[in-house]
Amino acid sequence: MNLYTPVAVLAAVAAAFALGSLAVSRFVGPQRYNRAKNAAYECGIESVHPVGTGSSGRFPIRYYLTAMLFIVFDIEIVFLYPWAVAFHDLGGFAFAEIALFTVTVAAAYAYVWRRGGLNWD
């Protein structure tokens, strides 16, 4: 346990700093919204805080679907990199496994494409 004490102390200090910073900024910082702060910035997406109201708007479900699709295909790439690096040392069984993995992800991609999950309308 003595080996992990510095790690636990560092984690506690980091968590305390993060939570303390959020609390201080929430109570000390100004809460004024104006036209310049609510203007679209670079991405073109309108702000979710309308001027003069404290309520927040809703994001369309397409944002979350796109994020989940990105995560799925990003994880596939994360699994393919180590396999590609060690390809010469693995052999035929590893090739069959990665081919099955790629076919499974390709089937998921085809399903999403067929259902219209990639159309941004």
Side-chain angles (χ1 to χ4, degrees):
M1 186 62 184
N2 290 338
L3 294 175
Y4 294 109
T5 303
V7 175
V9 169
L10 181 63
V13 168
F17 180 76
L19 293 175
S21 297
L22 288 173
V24 167
S25 69
R26 177 76 174 147
F27 294 117
V28 175
Q31 299 293 327
R32 295 178 301 240
Y33 294 105
N34 60 28
R35 186 176 305 274
K37 285 184 182 178
N38 287 327
Y41 179 72
E42 289 187 5
C43 63
I45 299 172
E46 294 298 325
S47 176
V48 294
H49 296 289
V51 176
T53 64
S55 66
S56 63
R58 293 185 177 206
F59 283 106
I61 194 69
R62 288 279 185 203
Y63 291 119
Y64 300 109
L65 291 174
T66 304
M68 287 189 294
L69 289 173
F70 173 76
I71 295 294
V72 166
F73 294 116
D74 193 42
I75 289 173
E76 178 190 14
I77 297 301
V78 167
F79 284 130
L80 284 176
Y81 273 133
W83 174 80
V85 169
F87 175 70
H88 291 293
D89 300 334
L90 294 177
F93 180 73
F95 180 76
E97 287 295 321
I98 205 69
L100 180 65
F101 175 73
T102 304
V103 166
T104 304
V105 173
Y109 178 71
Y111 174 77
V112 169
W113 190 354
R114 178 85 170 137
R115 294 286 304 225
L118 302 176
N119 294 337
W120 191 264
D121 293 335

